[in-house]
């Protein structure tokens, strides 16, 4: 869940918005909540009703130990009392910009994607599962009833940084650990996961080489990437795992596609500095550094054509139907002040939420989940977070977790 992606000490696992100070408290996750439009006296009403949730061969290897789219369809919220003032774009109604105040939001249902509450993975097909240990949880996923988490190592010497992170998998009380895992993604239906490793030298510098894993149907496939640097898995779409890697230390990262079981990955050289891939596999978002900052771009993977660019947001994902791109303000110093929804192939801005956000992800085709600040300060260790749900067609938001959390991540 920075994604907002947290800026993390272990390189590839860091994707996003939060600062190192925040990373000590937050691990990744869903966004903040929204207040009603400014001309309403009370907070936004809860979003009524549930939304539809979308719901050859190297030898298997076990990890070590144990087309511009139409605008989104109208919201299924028949009792909405949004004011008549504001913008209407196609089927999108309400104000173009919405201020978010967590305390004024109504309560809604729990996230329909797996998420982290403290050290407990909730949601998905299994019961809540507590992740053992004390290390910061950097990312989570569900693999059917199992819960997986990438956990930062805890150094025995409090004055030394805990270089590296490991994958902890908990299934029916049994714990399996895979060392050096630095990035993790789950397939949308939670039937498969992919993860990659990063190793460090004695001084904490990343070294060449990585192992890429995919787990599905009770088996594990492995791909050795002996000559790659800064490997990070980005998405598991259908039967393909997408990841990024560089050919040299500090070199430019390129998008790759791997079908688990294949002996090698395919380089998609048309996309550089990628951060995510849409479900249809046709477009990808990138984040590129410029002299005066960074800009996000959306590129057609097959042709390499840049469809659009924005320097105001970092794109962190797409809705399941690949029609909407989700962005957060282009901040790398803690939380972001904006959450945005754009038409994925044109860049047209559909909605902006203003608040204090870390990460966001599409819960379904019409709703976003976001991690937002309830209170406190990350430097002081008092930061409290909540996950909120916001409707793309109406702009309304509700609180999806009733309790203030000191750590929150959601499945990406």
């Amino acid at each position: 869940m920075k994604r907002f992606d947290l800026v993390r000490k272990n390189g590839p696992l860091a994707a996003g918005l939060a600062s190192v100070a925040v990373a000590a408290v937050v691990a990744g996750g869903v966004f903040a909540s929204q207040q009603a439009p400014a001309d309403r006296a009370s907070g936004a009403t809860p979003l009524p009703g549930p939304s539809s949730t979308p719901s050859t061969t190297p030898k298997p290897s076990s990890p070590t130990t144990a087309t511009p789219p139409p605008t989104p369809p109208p919201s299924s919220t028949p009792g909405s009392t949004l004011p008549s003032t504001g913008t209407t774009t196609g089927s999108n109604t309400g104000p173009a910009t919405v201020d978010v105040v967590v305390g004024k939001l109504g309560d809604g249902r729990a996230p329909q994607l797996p998420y982290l509450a403290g050290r407990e993975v909730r949601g998905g097909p299994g019961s809540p599962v507590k992740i053992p240990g004390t290390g910061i949880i950097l990312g989570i996923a569900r693999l059917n009833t199992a819960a997986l988490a990438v956990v930062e190592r805890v150094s025995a010497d409090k004055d030394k940084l805990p270089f590296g992170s490991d994958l902890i998998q908990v299934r029916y009380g049994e714990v399996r650990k895979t060392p050096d895992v630095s990035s993790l993604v789950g397939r949308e239906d939670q039937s498969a996961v992919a993860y990659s490793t990063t190793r460090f030298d004695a001084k904490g510098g990343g070294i060449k080489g990585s192992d890429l894993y995919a787990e599905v149907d009770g088996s594990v496939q492995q791909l050795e990437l002996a000559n790659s640097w800064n490997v990070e898995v980005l998405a598991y779409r259908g039967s393909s795992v997408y990841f990024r890697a560089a050919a040299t230390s500090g070199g430019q990262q390129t998008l790759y596609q791997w079908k688990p079981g294949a002996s090698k990955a395919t380089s998609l050289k048309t996309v550089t500095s990628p951060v995510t891939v849409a479900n249809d596999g046709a477009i990808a978002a990138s984040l590129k550094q410029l002299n005066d900052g960074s800009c996000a771009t959306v590129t057609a993977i097959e042709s390499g054509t840049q469809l659009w660019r924005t320097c105001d947001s970092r794109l962190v994902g797409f809705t399941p139907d690949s029609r909407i791109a989700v962005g957060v303000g282009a901040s790398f110093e803690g939380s972001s002040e904006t959450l945005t929804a754009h038409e994925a192939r044109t860049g047209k801005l559909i909605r902006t939420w203003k608040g204090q956000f870390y990460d966001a992800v599409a819960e379904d085709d019409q709703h976003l989940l976001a991690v937002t600040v309830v209170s406190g300060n990350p430097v002081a260790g008092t930061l409290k977070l909540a996950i909120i749900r916001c409707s793309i067609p109406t702009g309304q938001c509700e609180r999806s977790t009733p309790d203030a959390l000191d750590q929150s991540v959601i499945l990406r």
Side-chain angles (χ1 to χ4, degrees):
M1 327 159 173
K2 194 159 338 43
R3 237 167 240 0
F4 68 164
D5 282 316
L6 300 177
V7 174
R8 298 173 180 128
K9 291 187 285 294
N10 57 340
L13 199 53
L17 294 176
S19 65
V20 173
V22 175
V25 186
V26 187
V30 196
F31 269 24
S33 46
Q34 148 189 345
Q35 170 188 355
D39 56 347
R40 296 189 62 178
S42 60
T45 56
L47 303 175
S51 63
S52 58
T53 304
S55 54
T56 265
T57 309
K59 63 181 179 182
S61 166
S62 297
T64 55
T65 57
T67 58
T71 50
S75 170
S76 58
T77 55
S80 175
T81 56
L82 278 174
S84 57
T85 58
T87 61
T88 300
T89 305
S91 58
N92 298 312
T93 61
T97 301
V98 182
D99 291 325
V100 174
V101 177
V102 181
K104 294 187 176 182
L105 295 178
D107 291 332
R109 70 184 185 284
Q112 301 299 288
L113 296 176
Y115 66 101
L116 186 71
R119 298 193 71 83
E120 190 172 73
V121 177
R122 300 177 181 175
S127 302
V129 176
K130 186 175 182 180
I131 302 300
T134 59
I136 297 168
I137 299 173
L138 303 174
I140 65 164
R142 280 280 199 181
L143 179 57
N144 299 314
T145 58
L148 294 84
V150 176
V151 182
E152 191 174 59
R153 290 181 188 144
V154 176
S155 175
D157 186 342
K158 65 180 181 180
D159 295 324
K160 292 184 178 180
L161 293 175
F163 300 130
S165 53
D166 304 312
L167 178 70
I168 304 297
Q169 182 172 156
V170 183
R171 185 194 298 270
Y172 300 125
E174 292 189 7
V175 178
R176 191 186 81 192
K177 179 180 178 181
T178 307
D180 300 319
V181 171
S182 56
S183 65
L184 167 70
V185 296
R187 197 152 64 187
E188 189 177 61
D189 62 3
Q190 294 135 54
S191 65
V193 296
Y195 44 94
S196 65
T197 62
T198 300
R199 299 179 181 88
F200 297 86
D201 59 26
K203 296 183 179 180
I207 60 178
K208 182 172 66 173
S210 176
D211 291 310
L212 180 63
Y213 297 96
E215 288 196 46
V216 62
D217 296 331
S219 69
V220 181
Q221 299 291 338
Q222 178 183 2
L223 179 67
E224 294 184 10
L225 300 168
N227 297 313
S228 296
W229 293 81
N230 302 325
V231 175
E232 180 179 2
V233 289
L234 301 177
Y236 203 141
R237 306 299 191 215
S239 61
S240 294
V241 174
Y242 293 89
F243 67 96
R244 63 185 184 184
T248 60
S249 176
Q252 181 172 256
Q253 289 177 305
T254 299
L255 182 65
Y256 289 83
Q257 181 183 20
W258 175 53
K259 292 185 179 295
S263 60
K264 63 180 182 179
T266 301
S267 174
L268 304 175
K269 296 181 180 180
T270 55
V271 182
T272 57
S273 304
V275 293
T276 191
V277 176
N279 271 3
D280 60 10
I283 57 176
S286 298
L287 184 67
K288 299 184 179 181
Q289 301 297 320
L290 302 178
N291 291 336
D292 56 349
S294 61
C295 293
T297 62
V298 171
T299 301
I301 294 175
E302 184 175 357
S303 66
T305 301
Q306 179 178 300
L307 303 180
W308 58 280
R309 184 178 81 169
T310 176
C311 298
D312 295 326
S313 295
R314 292 182 307 102
L315 300 179
V316 295
F318 298 91
T319 52
D321 61 6
S322 304
R323 294 182 176 184
I324 303 296
V326 183
V328 291
S331 169
F332 294 88
E333 300 289 335
S335 61
S336 172
E337 295 181 352
T338 59
L339 167 64
T340 54
H342 308 254
E343 290 184 355
R345 285 167 172 77
T346 67
K348 182 177 180 179
L349 184 61
I350 296 171
R351 188 88 61 195
T352 299
W353 293 268
K354 298 181 68 175
Q356 195 173 355
F357 307 109
Y358 280 110
D359 191 22
V361 67
E363 184 181 37
D364 56 35
D365 295 341
Q366 298 185 37
H367 298 91
L368 306 181
L369 295 173
V371 175
T372 190
V373 175
V374 176
S375 62
N377 185 303
V379 177
T382 58
L383 188 67
K384 294 297 180 182
L385 306 168
I387 295 174
I388 65 165
R389 172 182 295 105
C390 294
S391 167
I392 298 170
T394 69
Q396 289 182 312
C397 296
E398 63 188 13
R399 186 160 167 156
S400 195
T401 54
D403 302 323
L405 309 172
D406 59 0
Q407 235 191 149
S408 190
V409 179
I410 72 167
L411 173 67
R412 180 164 300 281

